[in-house]
Amino acid sequence: LLLDLIRKYSNDASAIPEHLSTCQRYEVFMESEWDTGIDFEKEFHKPILLPGVTFDKIMEEANNMWRSYRETGKKCMFRNGQSAEGGYIQFAAPLMWSHVEYLRALMVKHGDWWKMS
């Protein structure tokens, strides 16, 4: 049931998004985490960065995030609280992690996961 639900929300190219949300929750995220800098602090927390990542690379990625968030926000054309996508928005698709976790779940479901270890 859960795997079918995940598949239902994949995009036209069958990509599984990292984020699936409502416009209302997205707006709350933008106000409470992006606009305040909390999202930036979490994403670029020094102890989790790879050694040698220069600040210009951090800023390049921060700008990519900002553009992605801005494009996502454009999908939130409110009509009775619904997004243009039919009540939800998705972004960061494809994300390899989402696909790996989905594949792992399929393999566990079919008993193939333990054969690979």
Side-chain angles (χ1 to χ4, degrees):
L1 182 64
L2 182 57
L3 295 175
D4 292 336
L5 185 60
I6 292 169
R7 195 170 32 254
K8 175 184 172 190
Y9 287 107
S10 62
N11 66 18
D12 293 340
S14 298
I16 301 169
E18 176 184 9
H19 299 287
L20 185 68
S21 185
T22 64
C23 286
Q24 182 179 12
R25 289 186 68 200
Y26 171 79
E27 295 296 331
V28 168
F29 162 79
M30 291 300 290
E31 290 173 10
S32 65
E33 295 200 31
W34 181 257
D35 291 345
T36 62
I38 291 172
D39 189 48
F40 180 90
E41 290 174 8
K42 289 190 300 185
E43 292 290 330
F44 303 106
H45 188 57
K46 284 202 182 279
I48 65 170
L49 288 179
L50 293 172
V53 175
T54 59
F55 189 69
D56 63 326
K57 293 295 182 192
I58 291 170
M59 288 309 299
E60 181 180 348
E61 182 57 23
N63 281 315
N64 289 337
M65 290 168 63
W66 177 78
R67 277 191 297 279
S68 175
Y69 290 160
R70 188 179 64 191
E71 289 302 311
T72 298
K74 289 179 183 178
K75 297 177 184 179
C76 289
M77 303 299 168
F78 281 98
R79 287 189 180 165
N80 300 325
Q82 299 286 313
S83 73
E85 293 181 333
Y88 66 92
I89 54 170
Q90 56 176 292
F91 50 106
L95 180 77
M96 180 59 82
W97 185 355
S98 302
H99 289 264
V100 169
E101 291 296 332
Y102 181 76
L103 178 61
R104 180 174 182 259
L106 284 174
M107 293 175 75
V108 167
K109 178 181 175 182
H110 294 289
D112 295 334
W113 179 253
W114 309 116
K115 294 176 189 173
M116 294 183 66
S117 344

